[in-house]
Amino acid sequence: MHKQKISKTSRKLFHKYLMIITSVILMSVIVLCSTYIIIATKSWNKEQLGVLSHNAEVIAENSEDIMQKYNDFNSDTSEGTDIAPLTMICNTMRIMSNAIDADIFITDMNGKVVVCKEMINDRFNFSQESNCIIHSGYNIDGEIIEKASEGNYSVIDTLGGIFIRNQLTAASPITVNGKTVAIVFATEPITVSWYTYMKKIFQIMLIAIVLSLILSFITVYILSYRLTKPLHEMSEATKRYSQGDFSYKVKVRGNDELSQLAEAFNSMAASLSALESSRRSFVANVSHELKTPMTSIGGFIDGMLDGTIPKDKYPHYLQIVSDEVKRLSRLVTSMLNMSKLEAGEMPINIKNFDLSANLFKTLLSFEKKINDKQIDIEGLDRLESIYVKADEDMLTQVVYNLIDNAVKFTPQNGYIRFKAYSDPEKIYVSIRNSGAGVEKEELDKIFERFYKVDKSRSYDVKGAGLGLYLVKSIIELHGGEIKATSVVGEYTEFAFWLPNV
């Protein structure tokens, strides 16, 4: 049920990514098309206005030439000699109007249309009395005539309300003997030229957009799937981790942020696995360390109460009970110190004291054990006074645990060697003892909580496995470092340094 829920959530996320990215692509396409259409329309209108302006200029120049040579033309109809030049102008306007699909006409300076292509009859003769249905009602505003007379004029509007919709309009003045006598207007509806052009553009864009959307959709689908798949795997991993299974690993693909997240996720899983293992080991060890002495204490006391143990043996067994109680006390104290150190609540009382004297004084408390095992102590006679600024009680615990560890693992007639020296930056202390040594794979774990060297070879049957962990924590709390080295069958050495401040 939970797995189906995760899969459903993953699908929702996948569809969400897919919809978002697809929407962004569609919006981008719409914006791109709209921008292109606006720019293309402006460019097309500008180009068409240029064509209209050019043709208006050509007709204006031809008209100027004809009007200047008016007297050189002979009449080709019975209507008079002034008809021939107007026929030429009108024919030119008809040809050019048909060529560019535009309406071209000439107005006088009052804005009234005086010449247009509709004023030529079927025999291509101009008739002044012909009635132009299209242009007879045109009356161009004087302001427009004034602007057009100043030079080339081009606009996109209704030409002062003459047209119902905006049209492309260009105008050019006709000047004879330095005087503007008429205006040539060339106009065309925007849709006439624009529709055919945009139709072709739309056809091209539609094909390109469809192909782009298909490719984009496929790409987005693949990318969305690749983006959500690691998240789905992490979701599945989280489910397994919550059930205590830390073996599941997220596959790392590539070297991007998601792959870095996957690596961090796997690293977190490894840390959680180690923490869980440590927790289980902690519970097992604490249970064992508490149960063993309590069982002994309970058994001996019960034996005294029910008479199993005779009264003359009471001192012997009471001593054992006392030792077990002290052992429990040490274990509880170590656990409390460990908790305080991990929580950063262990107060540090820094003072200046002689570390060499501390070594010697602490060693004296092991005099009986050392004599019983006939252990040879080396290096104490060469120690010089070395002063260190640290918490004396904590450093005493460090030295006590290291000496206690050395005494326990030194065989009969073995040796313990001390070294202590300093330089301007650091103070060094090392304690080496002869003995079986420690394997390399165990040496790497020797400072872990509740870790004990292989029980089959260990002389320490009563330790809780917290001593070296506390030693390392205290040394690091003072800004120092401790390392262990060993040669199997020869020696084990613990060496630490502290800042010389």
Side-chain angles (χ1 to χ4, degrees):
M1 187 72 179
H2 188 67
K3 186 174 182 179
Q4 291 177 353
K5 186 177 180 181
I6 290 176
S7 300
K8 187 175 180 181
T9 304
S10 178
R11 285 197 298 270
K12 285 182 179 179
L13 186 62
F14 169 72
H15 292 150
K16 185 177 179 180
Y17 272 118
L18 186 62
M19 289 300 296
I20 289 174
I21 300 177
T22 302
S23 299
V24 170
I25 292 175
L26 288 175
M27 288 297 295
S28 300
V29 169
I30 292 171
V31 171
L32 179 64
C33 291
S34 301
T35 304
Y36 180 80
I37 289 171
I38 292 171
I39 295 174
T41 301
K42 289 184 178 180
S43 177
W44 179 259
N45 290 340
K46 183 178 180 181
E47 184 179 343
Q48 290 302 108
L49 282 173
V51 172
L52 292 175
S53 296
H54 175 71
N55 284 277
E57 289 176 12
V58 170
I59 293 175
E61 290 173 358
N62 288 339
S63 300
E64 289 172 2
D65 292 340
I66 291 172
M67 288 182 180
Q68 287 174 353
K69 299 177 182 178
Y70 178 82
N71 295 328
D72 296 332
F73 286 90
N74 294 319
S75 174
D76 56 355
T77 68
S78 59
E79 296 176 355
T81 58
D82 59 337
I83 304 301
L86 293 176
T87 300
M88 295 176 62
I89 294 172
C90 199
N91 276 329
T92 303
M93 291 170 60
R94 170 179 278 191
I95 294 170
M96 299 191 76
S97 294
N98 293 335
I100 64 173
D101 197 15
D103 182 20
I104 302 176
F105 54 88
I106 299 175
T107 69
D108 58 19
M109 298 306 293
N110 294 320
K112 184 179 179 181
V113 177
V114 293
V115 179
C116 67
K117 65 179 182 178
E118 282 76 17
M119 290 181 178
I120 192 168
N121 57 32
D122 295 338
R123 293 182 298 167
F124 300 101
N125 293 323
F126 182 82
S127 174
Q128 289 179 328
E129 297 177 356
S130 62
N131 185 20
C132 179
I133 299 175
I134 298 176
H135 302 98
S136 60
Y138 286 10
N139 191 4
I140 310 299
D141 186 82
E143 185 177 348
I144 296 175
I145 295 295
E146 183 179 353
K147 289 181 180 179
S149 65
E150 294 175 356
N152 291 336
Y153 173 80
S154 60
V155 291
I156 303 176
D157 60 11
T158 60
L159 202 62
I162 290 177
F163 307 123
I164 298 175
R165 297 182 182 86
N166 288 342
Q167 292 195 179
L168 303 171
T169 302
S172 185
I174 299 175
T175 304
V176 178
N177 298 324
K179 182 180 179 182
T180 302
V181 297
I183 305 294
V184 179
F185 284 92
T187 181
E188 87 175 17
I190 294 175
T191 55
V192 172
S193 57
W194 183 83
Y195 178 77
T196 303
Y197 172 73
M198 291 309 300
K199 183 178 179 181
K200 293 180 180 179
I201 293 296
F202 270 120
Q203 289 175 348
I204 297 171
M205 288 184 65
L206 184 62
I207 295 172
I209 288 171
V210 170
L211 292 175
S212 299
L213 286 177
I214 292 173
L215 292 175
S216 299
F217 185 81
I218 294 173
T219 304
V220 167
Y221 187 91
I222 295 172
L223 288 176
S224 298
Y225 179 77
R226 290 189 63 186
L227 280 171
T228 55
K229 188 175 181 181
L231 298 177
H232 171 66
E233 291 179 356
M234 292 178 194
S235 180
E236 178 66 21
T238 303
K239 174 200 163 188
R240 296 198 181 186
Y241 298 163
S242 66
Q243 297 173 349
D245 178 14
F246 298 101
S247 61
Y248 185 84
K249 301 297 181 184
V250 180
K251 292 182 180 178
V252 179
R253 304 174 182 87
N255 193 31
D256 54 9
E257 287 80 0
L258 272 177
S259 64
Q260 293 172 5
L261 178 61
E263 289 179 355
F265 209 80
N266 290 334
S267 177
M268 180 190 70
S271 298
L272 288 173
S273 179
L275 183 62
E276 177 64 13
S277 177
S278 176
R279 184 187 68 81
R280 291 176 180 175
S281 176
F282 175 84
V283 173
N285 280 284
V286 168
S287 299
H288 175 73
E289 296 298 333
L290 291 175
K291 183 179 179 181
T292 302
M294 290 175 67
T295 302
S296 299
I297 293 171
F300 293 140
I301 292 176
D302 288 341
M304 294 177 188
L305 293 173
D306 60 20
T308 304
I309 299 175
K311 289 185 178 181
D312 59 336
K313 296 289 185 180
Y314 279 11
H316 173 70
Y317 288 103
L318 285 175
Q319 183 61 49
I320 295 175
V321 169
S322 176
D323 291 340
E324 293 296 337
V325 170
K326 291 176 182 177
R327 179 184 170 193
L328 281 174
S329 178
R330 288 196 302 269
L331 175 62
V332 172
T333 301
S334 297
M335 290 176 62
L336 288 174
N337 290 337
M338 178 187 70
S339 299
K340 289 180 180 180
L341 283 170
E342 290 179 343
E345 297 175 354
M346 180 72 79
I348 302 178
N349 182 23
I350 301 295
K351 65 178 181 179
N352 196 22
F353 65 94
D354 189 346
L355 183 58
S356 297
N358 186 277
L359 276 170
F360 185 79
K361 183 175 66 174
T362 305
L363 183 63
L364 289 178
S365 61
F366 292 91
E367 183 177 3
K368 184 178 184 305
K369 292 181 180 180
I370 292 172
N371 290 334
D372 290 343
K373 297 177 77 171
Q374 296 182 349
I375 298 173
D376 186 20
I377 303 300
E378 301 177 0
L380 281 182
D381 55 335
R382 293 189 293 272
L383 290 183
E384 296 180 358
S385 294
I386 299 175
Y387 284 88
V388 61
K389 288 184 178 179
D391 188 305
E392 186 173 6
D393 292 335
M394 287 189 181
L395 261 294
T396 299
Q397 186 174 359
V398 168
V399 172
Y400 181 91
N401 287 345
L402 291 178
I403 295 176
D404 181 53
N405 193 73
V407 172
K408 286 177 183 178
F409 289 94
T410 301
Q412 194 75 20
N413 299 317
Y415 70 86
I416 298 176
R417 184 178 302 155
F418 292 87
K419 284 185 181 180
Y421 60 95
S422 65
D423 61 28
E425 295 182 356
K426 298 177 181 179
I427 295 171
Y428 300 88
V429 176
S430 68
I431 301 175
R432 175 185 293 193
N433 68 278
S434 60
V438 182
E439 297 285 350
K440 186 179 184 304
E441 57 271 15
E442 292 186 331
L443 201 64
D444 296 334
K445 302 177 182 178
I446 204 167
F447 291 107
E448 294 180 5
R449 291 182 302 179
F450 294 106
Y451 183 80
K452 291 185 180 182
V453 179
D454 186 7
K455 279 74 178 176
S456 64
R457 296 188 292 107
S458 178
Y459 296 95
D460 184 18
V461 294
K462 295 184 179 181
L466 285 174
L468 292 178
Y469 173 79
L470 289 173
V471 166
K472 183 174 184 292
S473 299
I474 292 172
I475 292 296
E476 291 179 349
L477 188 65
H478 283 77
E481 184 181 6
I482 185 168
K483 290 183 179 180
T485 57
S486 180
V487 175
V488 176
E490 294 187 21
Y491 70 87
T492 300
E493 181 177 25
F494 290 91
F496 68 87
W497 62 263
L498 297 170
N500 191 1
V501 293

